[in-house]
Amino acid sequence: MVVNIIQNLIKMMWILRMKNSIEIDELNSNLKQLKSDISLIWTTIQTAEIQIDKESSLIEFTKLSHMSSEILFLAINNDNNNSINSTSPIIGFYMDQFISSYESYLRMKNQNDHKIAKCFFLLPLFIAACSAQTLKQKEFISKELYLISHELGHEFIEQLASTI
């Protein structure tokens, strides 16, 4: 499931980069397929939550990754839905859900045997950093992005997080 989310994030990054050179029919087809994949992943996450008896750091990581994919999808699909922009309440909702899942993951990561490689957090955190609306969101995301990039030794990302 995590791999599928990361694949979708990468597809959306490609679409975002190539958006102006893709024919509108191909763009709409890609967006429709991505939305279907995102919805299926969310259903799978909810099913896993019900089936697992205890809280799971892996599920929390999957949820926060999923929230970043929803945020990025909304950003890409902005031209087709003019009511959603960077200050939209729906983006704020997903940002709050992202932070909630991230905080839950941080509380659980030492209690469970599921250890997620820190490098998997960079893309979801970067997407969240670009979409953060409130000072609280910006502070939380930039702090976490800075800490992970520092632990991984990525100076460029450390500098980026410092400017956020």
Side-chain angles (χ1 to χ4, degrees):
M1 189 166 31
V2 172
V3 172
N4 293 347
I5 293 171
I6 300 296
Q7 286 174 335
N8 284 342
L9 288 172
I10 292 168
K11 287 176 190 175
M12 286 187 275
M13 296 293 280
W14 180 83
I15 289 173
L16 190 60
R17 182 173 184 262
M18 302 300 290
K19 191 173 183 178
N20 293 331
S21 61
I22 299 174
E23 291 185 26
I24 193 71
D25 292 338
E26 184 180 353
L27 176 65
N28 288 335
S29 175
N30 286 331
L31 291 174
K32 183 178 177 183
Q33 182 60 48
L34 280 167
K35 186 57 181 170
S36 175
D37 292 347
I38 289 169
S39 297
L40 181 61
I41 288 169
W42 182 244
T43 302
T44 306
I45 291 169
Q46 291 175 317
T47 303
E49 277 186 306
I50 292 168
Q51 291 178 343
I52 294 177
D53 292 338
K54 60 180 182 170
E55 293 181 326
S56 168
S57 59
L58 183 60
I59 289 179
E60 289 304 322
F61 173 75
T62 306
K63 285 168 57 176
L64 73 91
S65 297
H66 172 76
M67 294 306 153
S68 69
S69 67
E70 288 280 6
I71 291 166
L72 187 56
F73 181 82
L74 289 170
I76 291 171
N77 202 28
N78 188 25
D79 289 344
N80 296 338
N81 187 352
N82 291 329
S83 65
I84 297 174
N85 59 40
S86 62
T87 60
S88 172
I90 194 163
I91 298 283
F93 169 79
Y94 284 118
M95 281 300 304
D96 290 339
Q97 294 297 310
F98 177 92
I99 290 172
S100 175
S101 292
Y102 198 96
E103 289 174 329
S104 292
Y105 172 80
L106 292 175
R107 283 191 304 271
M108 285 186 250
K109 75 176 181 177
N110 296 326
Q111 300 168 1
N112 295 316
D113 59 341
H114 294 114
K115 302 290 186 214
I116 310 294
K118 291 186 185 330
C119 61
F120 285 118
F121 287 91
L122 291 175
L123 186 55
L125 280 169
F126 181 72
I127 292 167
C130 292
S131 304
Q133 296 174 342
T134 66
L135 183 58
K136 179 183 174 187
Q137 291 171 346
K138 291 176 185 180
E139 286 176 347
F140 180 83
I141 300 296
S142 62
K143 176 189 68 133
E144 293 302 324
L145 188 57
Y146 179 85
L147 290 173
I148 288 177
S149 61
H150 181 73
E151 288 178 33
L152 293 172
H154 298 311
E155 291 180 23
F156 167 73
I157 298 173
E158 280 183 67
Q159 293 170 354
L160 179 66
S162 295
T163 60
I164 294 172

